[in-house]
Amino acid sequence: MLIGIDLGTTNSLAAVFRDGAPQLVPNALGHVLTPSAVSAGDGDAMIVGLAARERLSTHPLRTATAFKRWMGTDHLVQLGDRSFRPEELSALVLRSLKADAESFLGEPVHEAVITVPAYFNQAQRQATKTAGELAGLRVERLLNEPTAAGLAYGLQERSDHSTFLVVDLGGGTFDVSVLEYFDGVVQVRASAGDTRLGGEDFAGVLERLFVQRSELPPSEAIRRSGALWRVAEQAKRELSDRHEALMRLVHEERVYEATVTRADFEQAAGELVQRLRRPIERALMDARLQAGELGEVVLVGGATRMPIVRQTIARLFQRLPLRTINPDETIARGAAIQAALKSRDAAVDEIVLTDVMPYSLGVIVSERINGRQVSDRFSPIIERNNPVPISRVGNYCSVADNQRVLKLDIRQGESPIGSENLHLGLLEIELTPKPAGEADVDVRFTYDANGLLVVDVRETSTGRTVNTVIRQNDALDETQVRDALARLEALKVHPRDEQRNRYLLERAKRLYEERLGDERAAIQHWIGQFELALDSQDRRVVDEAAEQFEKALASLDHGFVY
Ligand code: ADP
Ligand code: MG
């Protein structure tokens, strides 16, 4: 059975195509969203999903979230005394989804279509594939997230309009893509975004509003406990449906309260809302399109549930965007549709955006402006959204008389200020001494589909050359994959039927840490009662106790799906 998976930064979910439509797979807690969170428990035990998300407050050093940001890099994530590669953590999430799908379908699952952001490069795509492999899934196909969104809305079947814009505001990232469909082929024409803008930032705005209004003392302990974030997150969700939310936090036996209206929130979030515009304008410009030429604008990502986000997009385009499907479920549905098309051999073909270099690549230079030398300018050699492989040359000259060396600081990014772009490498070449401006070099950048950037520098007068290869990825080789598999096999992931109990206990512990006094005593008592029930090992007793436990916890806080 082939399933579709949206492996998200904040939440992941699986969907299957059954009875002619995509169906979302519920996890062991009955939720369709599984937080992309992993926590190291005692010994070899690993905790995944909502229970792990709860441990972010109680065991911050043993818990990881947002590891999708590290995919395709060698960054190791430390959980307690062990470290993990990002693809290993993703594999644990995928395994959990695989087990949920198997339980839902009643049959083994070995293959998946997994979605990735359109801007993911080869290294990030390869890491996603490896994560699948480590989870025991053959990755039948990696599908671009915006393409999946388009499939979920059936855009490929429309003949009237062929160009669409997908706006995806998730927990921590904002992605905008322009898609073009023709003859069953979809092409990502342009993609832009802000990797540091998402629903989390909006919760941050509410945290600050609450602190101001409730006069909650600034305390490291509160911040660390995550209690403030939780209050803010809850209010943010309420404000998507209502015009007012009461925010309430108990700290050292004092109650702090503040009422926030939607208008307050939207005003305070004004700067974040402004930041939505630029990537949209950029994507349209790169695709050489006017807003009016778009067939449809599609909203995905949980954070587009915020009315202000929808309104801003609607105003920008002078029309209502499509959002009839739950925005946090759209991509998984699209992945399941792709899976179904695949098994029927009627796949929608995709021209993958890896064929495009999503960032500009260049060097830092100093420039003469109005007779003065200005340093730290960015000079792009390969501009973003160009098809790869690509090779381009820039010509640069000395700025001082008898300059002996030319230092090239190679950067990736879109800022005019050189140092604000990502540093990729350094290269030096000796120059033949000449008057300023007369010694010159050709700098050739060659970028290929594997994420390899070759920089060749040649002094034009002598033909002297130097070069360097900048590798953006370090994919695991076969032996490393085998080792990682063995390592993961040795970990004990909680069996599916115990996940709910695990979650309840983690949630209770988190609440215990947050609260004081009578509430603490009550929580302690509930935990004791629940542990007694667990000891009975009687399924019915445990289930009944779990239900009561959950109700009791719910009387103290909202347990929401992240
Ligand atoms: P990702 O793509 O990062 O995995 P999602 O698409 O699941 O993330 O979006 C997660 C974000 O959506 C979170 O910041 C969450 O707070 C936000 N979100 C979910 N539901 C709502 C809601 N009802 N109102 C406002 N924001 C919401
Ligand atoms: Mg997403």
Side-chain angles (χ1 to χ4, degrees), residues 8-11 170-172 199-200 233 236-237 240 301-303 305-306 328:
T9 310
T10 322
N11 295 302
E200 286 292 325
E233 178 71 19
K236 181 179 79 179
R237 287 164 189 243
S240 292
R305 289 179 191 263
M306 285 184 285
D328 28 25

Side-chain angles (χ1 to χ4, degrees), residues 494-510:
H494 267 266
R496 215 178 157 269
D497 55 359
E498 285 172 23
Q499 278 179 13
R500 179 169 178 221
N501 301 341
R502 180 84 218 189
Y503 157 64
L504 290 174
L505 282 170
E506 296 298 349
R507 181 171 163 201
K509 287 184 199 158
R510 185 260 300 163

Side-chain angles (χ1 to χ4, degrees), residues 24-333:
L24 299 170
V25 172
N27 63 22
L29 305 174
H31 306 154
V32 294
L33 297 183
T34 295
S36 307
V38 174
S39 185
D42 301 329
D44 288 331
M46 296 303 288
I47 301 154
V48 178
L50 194 53
R53 185 64 187 74
E54 290 287 0
R55 286 168 63 92
L56 194 56
S57 334
T58 54
H59 300 82
L61 300 178
R62 305 178 68 90
T63 308
T65 56
F67 32 83
K68 181 173 175 179
R69 290 188 187 281
W70 299 111
M71 289 292 264
T73 73
D74 280 335
H75 177 87
L76 293 178
V77 181
Q78 196 73 27
L79 299 189
D81 51 13
R82 254 181 285 158
S83 55
F84 293 86
R85 289 186 60 102
E87 49 270 67
E88 294 178 304
L89 296 174
S90 297
L92 289 168
V93 173
L94 289 172
R95 274 191 185 193
S96 174
L97 297 175
K98 175 177 184 275
D100 292 334
E102 287 173 341
S103 153
F104 182 67
L105 292 166
E107 62 176 283
V109 170
H110 297 298
E111 290 179 320
V113 169
I114 303 180
T115 57
V116 289
Y119 59 79
F120 256 27
N121 63 25
Q122 268 315 314
Q124 293 166 304
R125 284 167 198 265
Q126 184 53 50
T128 308
K129 263 197 163 154
T130 305
E133 212 176 309
L134 293 176
L137 287 169
R138 204 177 65 75
V139 181
E140 167 66 37
R141 168 161 201 171
L142 294 175
L143 179 68
N144 284 328
E145 289 170 4
T147 307
L151 284 174
Y153 278 102
L155 299 185
Q156 75 285 5
E157 287 158 9
R158 298 197 183 184
S159 52
D160 48 344
H161 289 297
S162 60
T163 317
F164 308 97
L165 185 99
V166 180
V167 175
D168 182 350
L169 188 64
T173 53
F174 179 48
D175 303 326
V176 183
S177 320
V178 176
L179 299 183
E180 192 174 63
Y181 284 89
F182 53 91
D183 268 356
V185 175
V186 45
Q187 182 170 17
V188 181
R189 284 262 303 260
S191 84
D194 187 334
T195 54
R196 296 282 153 193
L197 177 63
E200 286 292 325
D201 301 289
F202 287 82
V205 164
L206 283 167
E207 283 187 21
R208 287 189 291 278
L209 265 184
F210 178 69
V211 169
Q212 274 167 21
R213 297 197 177 172
S214 68
E215 291 172 5
L216 181 76
S219 139
E220 184 56 21
I222 298 178
R223 207 189 50 74
R224 228 187 15 244
S225 77
L228 181 56
W229 173 81
R230 222 168 276 281
V231 170
E233 178 71 19
Q234 179 61 33
K236 181 179 79 179
R237 287 164 189 243
E238 278 177 30
L239 290 172
S240 292
D241 301 323
R242 281 187 281 279
H243 283 277
E244 204 174 85
L246 173 66
M247 301 177 74
R248 185 173 183 276
L249 187 128
V250 185
H251 173 60
E252 288 178 345
E253 307 213 47
R254 232 199 95 182
V255 179
Y256 296 86
E257 279 185 339
T259 299
V260 176
T261 65
R262 191 187 281 172
D264 295 337
F265 171 47
E266 292 178 351
Q267 195 184 4
E271 190 245 345
L272 295 178
V273 173
Q274 280 307 317
R275 281 169 62 194
L276 296 170
R277 290 168 183 270
R278 258 225 341 231
I280 293 176
E281 288 162 1
R282 220 185 84 179
L284 285 176
M285 218 162 66
D286 286 358
R288 298 190 173 76
L289 280 175
Q290 304 284 328
E293 297 173 71
L294 290 168
E296 213 60 82
V297 176
V298 180
L299 289 187
V300 297
T304 61
R305 289 179 191 263
M306 285 184 285
I308 183 71
V309 172
R310 298 205 303 268
Q311 287 156 11
T312 303
I313 309 287
R315 215 169 295 136
L316 266 175
F317 292 97
Q318 300 290 315
R319 76 173 91 179
L320 286 180
L322 271 184
R323 55 174 294 274
T324 43
I325 305 177
N326 277 340
D328 28 25
E329 299 170 358
T330 313
I331 289 170
R333 286 179 189 274

Side-chain angles (χ1 to χ4, degrees), residues 472-517:
Q472 291 200 313
N473 55 321
D474 262 311
L476 298 184
D477 62 28
E478 254 172 65
T479 356
Q480 286 172 309
V481 170
R482 230 174 296 129
D483 289 351
L485 257 176
R487 257 160 56 88
L488 289 184
E489 287 307 335
L491 300 171
K492 294 191 195 65
V493 178
H494 267 266
R496 215 178 157 269
D497 55 359
E498 285 172 23
Q499 278 179 13
R500 179 169 178 221
N501 301 341
R502 180 84 218 189
Y503 157 64
L504 290 174
L505 282 170
E506 296 298 349
R507 181 171 163 201
K509 287 184 199 158
R510 185 260 300 163
L511 267 171
Y512 183 86
E513 274 203 14
E514 259 173 50
R515 307 300 165 92
L516 286 172

Side-chain angles (χ1 to χ4, degrees), residues 376-404:
D376 200 13
R377 304 286 93 194
F378 183 54
S379 168
I381 294 177
I382 295 179
E383 302 233 67
R384 67 163 186 263
N385 283 329
N386 259 306
V388 292
I390 182 170
S391 192
R392 289 276 152 88
V393 186
N395 183 270
Y396 300 93
C397 61
S398 57
V399 291
D401 290 336
N402 297 321
Q403 189 175 329
R404 304 304 299 244

Side-chain angles (χ1 to χ4, degrees), residues 334-351:
I337 292 172
Q338 176 66 52
L341 291 172
K342 200 84 199 166
S343 6
R344 279 198 279 118
D345 268 350
V348 168
D349 283 320
E350 202 184 9
I351 298 175

